[in-house]
Amino acid sequence: MNMGLTGGIATGKSTVSRLLTECGAALVDADRIAREVVEPGQASLRLIAERFGQAVLLENGALNRKKLGEIVFADPAEREALERITHPAIRAVMKERMARLEREDPSRLVVVDVPLLYESELSSLFQKVMVVYVPREVQLERLMERDGLSREAAERRLHAQMDIEEKRKRADFVIDNRGSLEETTRLVESFWRENGRL
């Protein structure tokens, strides 16, 4: 089975994906792929520089993520322009890795961590979808603390994603991550016992 793993920013997707791999799942990480497709020499980085200007590049030619983030989180049209550049490249790599892992071991659960799974309308790629959930206020507090953001900046980032309650409603599986790591671990292990292998 392949399963999309999503949630919202600062809900704890990385923790849950790590726990799933510790149980034995294979992981395809869309965030990691997103970083790979904008490395120096990649077509996506060239297109980003053409669209947003040389100011989004560091002196060594790498992407200045902070500068690009300031632009795209302040303007939905700019964020959409970035997504039109990066999403096709990310999807192509993601599908290739999913197919390879499935060929290698058809009975192994393949987890694909995709932060914007619903926003990018990717549900159809997966047999099931798991959402890592925390209430919005907890999400906001964690984001401010984790990234050192003001409340206003954190709100803007949350606003750029689908509301976490809507994601929770659409999910096949929900991991409530507002408690301790031990509680989350128990929830993931329970899921694994029931769904880990075909």
Side-chain angles (χ1 to χ4, degrees):
M1 175 169 80
N2 66 59
M3 180 178 77
L5 175 70
T6 194
I9 191 167
T11 58
K13 291 181 308 302
S14 298
T15 298
V16 172
S17 66
R18 178 179 55 76
L19 291 169
L20 286 165
T21 58
E22 287 172 4
C23 287
L27 178 67
V28 177
D29 184 339
D31 269 349
R32 185 173 296 148
I33 294 169
R35 288 190 291 275
E36 291 171 15
V37 302
V38 295
E39 286 175 355
Q42 295 292 325
S44 296
L45 182 60
R46 181 178 47 76
L47 293 170
I48 288 168
E50 287 173 9
R51 171 64 178 76
F52 296 97
Q54 295 299 308
V56 300
L57 297 180
L58 297 168
E59 284 183 26
N60 65 2
L63 183 63
N64 184 335
R65 295 178 177 285
K66 189 166 191 280
K67 181 69 178 169
L68 183 61
E70 288 168 4
I71 295 168
V72 300
F73 286 114
D75 183 344
E78 295 293 276
R79 192 175 72 251
E80 286 169 18
L82 175 64
E83 289 169 356
R84 281 194 299 275
I85 293 169
T86 58
H87 284 190
I90 294 166
R91 280 180 204 154
V93 175
M94 194 170 74
K95 287 178 183 176
E96 182 275 320
R97 290 188 186 166
M98 286 167 61
R100 178 174 48 79
L101 288 165
E102 196 162 335
R103 281 193 307 274
E104 288 171 2
D105 185 352
S107 69
R108 188 178 189 192
L109 176 65
V110 177
V111 175
V112 187
D113 184 341
V114 187
L116 299 177
L117 187 151
Y118 290 121
E119 292 87 340
S120 303
E121 299 178 354
L122 296 178
S123 305
S124 62
L125 292 180
F126 308 106
Q127 291 163 292
K128 299 287 182 183
V129 174
M130 174 183 280
V131 166
V132 182
Y133 170 82
V134 297
R136 193 173 199 279
E137 194 55 40
V138 174
Q139 195 182 4
L140 191 61
E141 287 167 15
R142 286 184 183 177
L143 179 59
M144 288 163 61
E145 184 179 332
R146 186 189 78 185
D147 293 359
L149 297 174
S150 67
R151 189 174 185 88
E152 183 185 5
E155 288 274 13
R156 267 201 311 274
R157 294 197 177 204
L158 287 191
H159 191 67
Q161 297 185 346
M162 180 185 291
D163 184 72
I164 192 66
E165 298 298 338
E166 180 60 29
K167 290 182 180 186
R168 183 165 105 159
K169 282 186 217 159
R170 295 185 185 196
D172 297 296
F173 306 106
V174 175
I175 297 291
D176 189 322
N177 191 35
R178 74 182 106 180
S180 66
L181 177 59
E182 291 72 24
E183 289 171 281
T184 301
T185 301
R186 279 196 295 276
L187 291 171
V188 170
E189 288 173 348
S190 174
F191 162 82
W192 182 260
R193 282 193 297 275
E194 295 174 23
N195 303 282
R197 305 227 22 132
L198 296 173

